[in-house]
Amino acid sequence: MMTRDVVWLVVLAAQTSALWWLWRARRQEDKAHEDLELLGTLKQRAAELENEVARKEGMRVEERRGRVSAEKELRRVMDEKLDTSNGHYVQALGHVHSCFKSCLGTPRQGLFAPSTRGLVTFHRNVSPDTLIGLEAFTHLWIVFVFHKNTNGKNARAHQGLRSDSHRYTFKAKIAPPKLKERVGIFSTRSPHRPNPIGITLAKIESVDCATRTVHLSGLDLVDGTPVLDIKPYVPAYDAVLDARAASWVSLDLSPTINQVRWTSPDTRAVLECCAETSRLYRGDAAALQAAIEEVLQVDVRSKEQTARRQRDNNTLVLDCVRVSYRLVEQVASVIDVHHIEAIPSHL
Amino acid sequence: MMTRDVVWLVVLAAQTSALWWLWRARRQEDKAHEDLELLGTLKQRAAELENEVARKEGMRVEERRGRVSAEKELRRVMDEKLDTSNGHYVQALGHVHSCFKSCLGTPRQGLFAPSTRGLVTFHRNVSPDTLIGLEAFTHLWIVFVFHKNTNGKNARAHQGLRSDSHRYTFKAKIAPPKLKERVGIFSTRSPHRPNPIGITLAKIESVDCATRTVHLSGLDLVDGTPVLDIKPYVPAYDAVLDARAASWVSLDLSPTINQVRWTSPDTRAVLECCAETSRLYRGDAAALQAAIEEVLQVDVRSKEQTARRQRDNNTLVLDCVRVSYRLVEQVASVIDVHHIEAIPSHL
């Protein structure tokens, strides 16, 4: 009996120690259970954070893409600008309002057609005071932009000049109307030049400071020409009496028109009606007629253009008059004059 | 005895079930232990991820900052560019190499100092053919940029012209050297104009197509002047004989220098040494001396500048000669001539 009790006791002791061990373990497990809850939370949090990291990465990549593309574009534009900074930026200060609406028919030298009229009006950001004293001069230089140039090769000239390439990007030689052979563009006054800047002389008729307008005659500029500058003509500086030009400059283009015949019976009536509405020839039909005659006489074109003119009817638009004419030998016969609506001017 | 056994059995059964329960719990705890390990890893991972999120956010913010600043800059530059498109971009085709190294002392009209020398050399992207035929003309117009202008108000002029504001951003009136009262800038040839473009006449000495160079005399341009264009002078177009300038243009500035005295004993030796190294006056000391005399005589300054000149010693730098002189009445007395090192030219 005592031995059986001892066996029980041993079993009990063993179980108790097992119990004790297990109870201790249980205590730990309780803590682990708490941890387990935390684990769940953390797992969720980790999953959330992983999503967040992915989202932020996506956003970062997007921002980076935006930054890189903006910076690329900036560099491209800056490069262009940097190139621009090698050059010079000039801006029209005003525009020409002229009786010539298209290049074709605009005389080469305005002073040879003294009845032509036009005006330069400066923009509103130019002070009227800039014109004080100008009326003391009889003539002025207009520094302007050949804005009607359509020659693509020349229009692209600047791109080439801007680049570091040393290829020539504009035509080096042209054939002036009066010359068969081609000469260098710098030996001509051709509008198609690397920098499309022209200078021309005109006669000052009157200066109106209040409206920032200079009224001119003897003008060879197309309506809407951007004006970069005007400078007074100073004969002491500008008239070089011992200067000589290339002989081809003074060559006459035959046939030269030395007579204008008006065959249209209602010419005078139409011209008076035109002068009525004209800004430049208001109430002065005679001056309008004189301008037409002068322009017909000084109109100089290439041999080819002249040959074409000899065959066909020709048209000249001057101010608000469309003139149809025919050339026979040295005579221009005006067949018809029409009053056309004023083409909207830049003013 | 049986009851005691029953008691033991009950205790044992209870202990066994406790054991069973605890063993099951232990199994769970094992799993929990595994989880605990995972927990540690996860905790670490979460901490890492939190850092990562913060890092990514920082990077995103930085990218965004970069993107915003690049885009702002892009917009600013683009806006300027857009404004540029309202104007005209012109580029120097070449530069002037001249005997005048600074604005001060450069004559107002080069042709009045015919011994002055210079040349225009075109850049390599300008074809030599552009100059073919130019030698048939005696004079040419140079369209250039007043690149030495320092007048801030005028330098900023374009900004104002570019803007839509109608405030006048450049001086409307200036006082020409010959006139006390102020006149509008468009009544003068002042370099300080809204578009800093000048035109000047020079005499063609020779044309070297191969080196794209035009050798000139009678020049009033400072060394390094950017050249936008050259155009042949055509007397038939450009010499207007019935033109009149404002009376103040022809006013003489008293005192006008009508005599130059050389008081320095070694003048000729120095000038010959200068001419030796000069590009423009090589081997022609007489021409160099003539140029100095002409420039001293035509040098025109404001009344104030003239008064100052009458008191002090004056300096003129022409080509590689520094000339010290004194003005007494209408006589310029050259006190000293020095050979100076050539200022690096733009060529």
Side-chain angles (χ1 to χ4, degrees), chain A residues 1 4-5 15 56-57 63 67 83 88 90-91 187 189 193 195 197 229 231 233 238, chain B residues 1 4-5 15 56-57 63 67 88-91 132 189 193 195 197 229 231 233 238:
Chain A
M1 201 60 153
R4 259 170 85 189
D5 274 1
Q15 265 207 351
K56 294 272 187 206
E57 175 65 11
E63 293 286 2
R67 177 178 68 79
D83 252 337
H88 306 274
V90 292
Q91 192 156 354
S187 310
R189 301 273 195 114
R193 18 197 359 106
N195 287 311
I197 293 180
D229 202 355
K231 297 169 194 284
Y233 182 86
D238 299 330
Chain B
M1 197 60 153
R4 257 169 85 193
D5 274 2
Q15 268 205 349
K56 293 274 187 205
E57 174 65 11
E63 293 287 1
R67 176 179 68 78
H88 306 273
Y89 175 71
V90 292
Q91 192 156 355
I132 289 174
R189 300 275 194 114
R193 22 202 346 112
N195 286 311
I197 294 180
D229 202 357
K231 298 170 194 283
Y233 182 86
D238 299 330

Side-chain angles (χ1 to χ4, degrees), chain B residues 180-242:
Chain B
K180 270 185 199 167
E181 55 181 315
R182 298 194 307 147
V183 293
I185 46 158
F186 291 137
S187 309
T188 75
R189 300 275 194 114
S190 161
H192 298 286
R193 22 202 346 112
N195 286 311
I197 294 180
I199 57 173
T200 195
L201 266 171
K203 189 166 186 297
I204 300 172
E205 290 296 329
S206 64
V207 179
D208 185 351
C209 286
T211 59
R212 302 171 308 279
T213 301
V214 185
H215 296 265
L216 302 165
S217 65
L219 197 69
D220 64 355
L221 294 177
V222 181
D223 199 49
T225 297
V227 173
L228 297 179
D229 202 357
I230 58 170
K231 298 170 194 283
Y233 182 86
V234 180
Y237 305 163
D238 299 330
V240 183
L241 300 176
D242 61 342

Side-chain angles (χ1 to χ4, degrees), chain B residues 300-324:
Chain B
V300 172
R301 304 191 192 190
S302 70
K303 291 232 169 214
E304 200 199 326
Q305 284 172 323
T306 306
R308 211 185 306 131
R309 283 212 310 182
Q310 293 282 355
R311 289 193 304 270
D312 310 329
N313 270 9
N314 298 280
T315 302
L316 167 76
V317 175
L318 191 138
D319 203 42
C320 52
V321 194
R322 176 177 286 120
V323 181
S324 299

Side-chain angles (χ1 to χ4, degrees), chain A residues 20-75:
Chain A
W20 169 248
W21 181 81
L22 280 171
W23 176 78
R24 258 196 57 206
R26 182 80 189 82
R27 279 289 298 279
Q28 280 173 358
E29 189 226 14
D30 277 353
K31 205 178 150 284
H33 188 72
E34 278 164 35
D35 286 349
L36 255 180
E37 268 172 38
L38 185 62
L39 183 76
T41 320
L42 267 175
K43 263 184 180 168
Q44 205 182 328
R45 173 95 182 109
E48 280 171 15
L49 283 170
E50 265 167 4
N51 284 344
E52 187 70 5
V53 166
R55 209 172 59 88
K56 294 272 187 206
E57 175 65 11
M59 284 161 76
R60 189 192 68 80
V61 166
E62 209 160 306
E63 293 286 2
R64 181 183 182 79
R65 197 175 293 137
R67 177 178 68 79
V68 168
S69 107
E71 280 177 353
K72 263 191 193 159
E73 185 65 8
L74 178 62
R75 199 176 313 124

Side-chain angles (χ1 to χ4, degrees), chain A residues 282-294:
Chain A
R282 183 143 308 162
D284 198 348
L288 184 56
Q289 184 169 348
I292 294 168
E293 292 187 10
E294 287 162 11

Side-chain angles (χ1 to χ4, degrees), chain A residues 45-247:
Chain A
R45 173 95 182 109
E48 280 171 15
L49 283 170
E50 265 167 4
N51 284 344
E52 187 70 5
V53 166
R55 209 172 59 88
K56 294 272 187 206
E57 175 65 11
M59 284 161 76
R60 189 192 68 80
V61 166
E62 209 160 306
E63 293 286 2
R64 181 183 182 79
R65 197 175 293 137
R67 177 178 68 79
V68 168
S69 107
E71 280 177 353
K72 263 191 193 159
E73 185 65 8
L74 178 62
R75 199 176 313 124
R76 193 187 66 76
V77 175
M78 285 292 281
D79 282 353
E80 263 182 51
K81 266 216 76 71
L82 278 177
D83 252 337
T84 307
S85 74
N86 290 332
H88 306 274
Y89 174 70
V90 292
Q91 192 156 354
L93 307 175
H95 284 90
V96 168
H97 180 70
S98 155
C99 58
F100 302 107
K101 309 300 174 187
S102 70
C103 296
L104 200 74
T106 302
R108 305 282 158 142
Q109 284 306 318
L111 293 179
F112 293 174
S115 300
T116 56
R117 289 185 189 175
L119 41 92
V120 170
T121 295
F122 288 96
H123 297 161
R124 285 207 288 166
N125 52 2
V126 175
S127 165
D129 287 358
T130 53
L131 298 174
I132 289 173
L134 188 63
E135 72 290 337
F137 297 84
T138 58
H139 294 74
L140 55 69
W141 287 106
I142 303 171
V143 181
F144 63 93
V145 175
F146 287 111
H147 72 306
K148 288 276 193 182
N149 277 358
T150 50
N151 185 320
K153 211 158 187 174
N154 279 282
R156 283 196 304 276
H158 280 161
Q159 287 170 27
L161 285 173
R162 267 179 223 177
S163 80
D164 289 331
S165 92
H166 289 148
R167 284 183 311 160
Y168 313 134
T169 45
F170 57 91
K171 263 186 174 171
K173 297 199 284 182
I174 62 141
K178 293 182 177 178
L179 193 65
K180 268 184 201 168
E181 56 182 310
R182 298 193 308 147
V183 293
I185 46 157
F186 291 138
S187 310
T188 75
R189 301 273 195 114
S190 161
H192 298 286
R193 18 197 359 106
N195 287 311
I197 293 180
I199 56 173
T200 195
L201 267 171
K203 189 165 187 297
I204 300 172
E205 290 297 327
S206 64
V207 179
D208 185 351
C209 285
T211 58
R212 301 172 307 280
T213 301
V214 185
H215 296 265
L216 303 163
S217 65
L219 197 70
D220 64 355
L221 295 177
V222 181
D223 199 49
T225 296
V227 174
L228 298 179
D229 202 355
I230 59 171
K231 297 169 194 284
Y233 182 86
V234 180
Y237 305 163
D238 299 330
V240 183
L241 299 176
D242 61 341
R244 272 178 295 101
S247 54

Side-chain angles (χ1 to χ4, degrees), chain B residues 116-134:
Chain B
T116 56
R117 288 184 188 175
L119 40 92
V120 170
T121 296
F122 288 97
H123 298 160
R124 284 206 290 166
N125 53 2
V126 175
S127 166
D129 287 357
T130 53
L131 298 173
I132 289 174
L134 189 64

